[in-house]
Each structure stands twice: as C-alpha cells, then as structure tokens.
Amino acid sequence: MGILNKLVSFAVGIPSFTVLMVASVWMQQWGNTSPNSCKLAETFINDYFCFHSGSLDRLKVLPNICPQFTANLMTAIADNYFGVTKKEFLFPPKRLLNIIIFWISNHSSLCTAAQEKAAILPPGAIAMDAVTPIAGLLKWCVLAPIYKEDSAEYSRLHLALLNSILEIPRSSPPKAIYAQHLAYCINPILTYAGDLKTKQELKLNQILSESALQMSLDRFAQAIQVAYSMCSIYGHVDDFFNQLKQLPFNKSLNIVINTYKKE
C-alpha cells in the first residue's frame, strides 16, 4: 500500500493519465471511503499540502487530466476530515480547501465524473458504483460553524457545491447523493445543541437563536432543498426526512420538511 500510494502521488505530479485512471478504478472497486482509499488520499495530502508548500498550479489542472480520479479522490479526502465518530476532529488545511473549491467552481460536473463513465474492468468483473464527494464535502460546510471553523472558504465551498448539484443530470433512479450520507450531519448538530443546554445552560429561546447553530441549519436546509429539487437524493429518503425532525427549529429547514411532507 505504501508503494502504491507513492506511485499514485507521483503520477499526479508527472502527470500520468493511465496510472490515475487505473487508481480511480481501484478506489472505486474498494470503495471511495474504504480505509485503503482514505490512506491513499492521506498520502496525497501529505505530499502536496503538508510536506510540500510550492505552487498549486500542477494540481489545478488535475480535473482536466483525469476527472474520474479527481472525483474519487475528493470523496476519500472528504471522509478524512470532520469525522463524527472520532474523538479528535481533524480539519482540512486551508490550501487543500482552496484547491477543492477551485476544482468544483471551475468544473461544475466534476463531482459526478466517476459515475458518468463506466469503469473498464476485466471480463466478468462487476463494476462498483462510485460514491460522489457531495455529501462528504457538504458535511464540512454544515458542521464548520459549530466547530468554529467557519472561515470564508466554507461559504465559498458551500456555494460551489450548490451550483454543482444544480448541474447533476437527472437519472432514474437517482444515484448522486445517498440520503444516509447526508444524515451524518444530524448527530453532531444535536450534540452541539445539547451542549448549549447542559454545558452553557442556555434556555430554549437562546439555543434557537444561537448564530453558529442557525448558520449550520441554514446551510443544511439549502443543500437538502437543492438536492431534493434536482431529484438527486437516493436511498431511504423517507427515513432521512423523519430524522430531520429531531433537529432544533430552523425556518428554512422547517419549510423543506413541510414541502417534502406535502409532496
């Protein structure tokens, strides 16, 4: 794995479409959020954002060279940060955040690139569906305010993702955003609201007007509304909207839930 990770990292720098395309298929077959794929993403981040502080020009053109690899890489990267099950939370380096914003802002269909073209596999092999990076990156934007990481970059990323969702081709059934991946944001928000009550001893009206909480809920509501209007959410959608009812009151989110209920 160490050699493979270094090979892929090296292929980004050359760049080598062939190696990156094979790596993209490999990640997809393992699962874009599998430990192996996340470790590959970690090596890439260390090589280009932690140990090397040079120009990012070479990385800016990565979507032009191999959009499928870039999309799968973003999915793995998104899973490496803002983890909701880890004791210690890791946040993406600002330079990484900026390059992802650049990628998505300048390539509106990049997030679904790995789904648009079937992976080339040996005869008899079953191609695994690609998980898009949309839900994982939205998690960053939604949770950033309550983790006090709400720099301007997260607002820009949120806008880029909303524009990207608007460009998703309609498909039947939908395949772009898995409902339970979107639901990852719910428990951290509930935990934060609970801490406001128990640790800060805020009253209900103070909790509901707390700025970080409301910004988080606003972003979540906007993303759900756009994704739902584009028919891009799949999975247990009814269960997902029922889970949303647990969240503290937010005007935008309430409208989204009621609209779904009516339809």
Side-chain angles (χ1 to χ4, degrees):
M1 278 302 302
I3 295 171
L4 176 60
N5 292 344
K6 286 297 182 183
L7 170 65
V8 174
S9 185
F10 187 59
V12 170
I14 296 176
S16 169
F17 167 79
T18 304
V19 173
L20 295 179
M21 191 63 204
V22 172
S24 175
V25 174
W26 178 87
M27 293 177 74
Q28 202 165 307
Q29 292 302 104
W30 273 104
N32 291 342
T33 58
S34 67
N36 285 337
S37 294
C38 289
K39 190 65 181 175
L40 185 148
E42 184 182 340
T43 300
F44 167 81
I45 293 166
N46 285 337
D47 286 350
Y48 286 94
F49 296 93
C50 297
F51 303 144
H52 176 68
S53 58
S55 173
L56 296 179
D57 291 344
R58 198 171 285 182
L59 292 181
K60 287 182 177 179
V61 298
L62 191 58
N64 298 328
I65 297 162
C66 192
Q68 296 88 347
F69 172 78
T70 310
N72 288 339
L73 178 67
M74 285 196 298
T75 305
I77 289 173
D79 202 57
N80 281 349
Y81 297 100
F82 283 89
V84 297
T85 59
K86 299 175 183 178
K87 292 182 180 178
E88 181 182 359
F89 285 89
L90 296 175
F91 303 110
K94 186 169 286 190
R95 293 172 75 244
L96 172 63
L97 199 51
N98 280 322
I99 199 68
I100 290 176
I101 294 168
F102 180 86
W103 284 344
I104 299 174
S105 299
N106 289 277
H107 305 272
S108 58
S109 62
L110 179 62
C111 288
T112 56
Q115 291 186 336
E116 293 172 6
K117 190 174 182 180
I120 300 174
L121 296 169
I126 300 173
M128 302 300 291
D129 291 332
V131 175
T132 72
I134 297 172
L137 294 175
L138 281 172
K139 176 183 66 178
W140 293 8
C141 303
V142 171
L143 299 184
I146 63 175
Y147 290 145
K148 313 306 177 190
E149 288 290 316
D150 197 39
S151 61
E153 281 79 9
Y154 289 103
S155 296
R156 290 168 52 215
L157 177 61
H158 186 62
L159 177 60
L161 286 166
L162 294 182
N163 288 331
S164 179
I165 295 171
L166 289 171
E167 297 295 324
I168 294 175
R170 291 179 181 265
S171 64
S172 183
K175 59 179 183 177
I177 307 171
Y178 185 43
Q180 287 313 112
H181 290 167
L182 279 177
Y184 287 166
C185 296
I186 294 175
N187 282 338
I189 295 174
L190 290 174
T191 299
Y192 180 76
D195 286 345
L196 291 176
K197 179 181 179 181
T198 58
K199 295 181 180 180
Q200 299 189 33
E201 299 182 349
L202 298 185
K203 295 180 180 179
L204 180 60
N205 64 323
Q206 293 174 309
I207 293 172
L208 294 181
S209 61
E210 205 268 342
S211 58
L213 176 63
Q214 287 302 314
M215 181 179 289
S216 180
L217 292 170
D218 279 338
R219 287 183 180 176
F220 201 18
Q222 290 165 8
I224 296 167
Q225 174 57 34
V226 173
Y228 180 65
S229 68
M230 295 303 296
C231 301
S232 58
I233 304 176
Y234 70 97
H236 302 292
V237 182
D238 284 343
D239 289 345
F240 171 62
F241 274 89
N242 282 328
Q243 290 178 68
L244 293 177
K245 296 175 185 177
Q246 305 172 59
L247 293 169
F249 179 81
N250 170 270
K251 187 175 181 180
S252 299
L253 189 61
N254 191 51
I255 292 172
V256 171
I257 294 171
N258 287 334
T259 300
Y260 179 78
K261 192 187 299 183
K262 289 176 184 178
E263 292 182 358

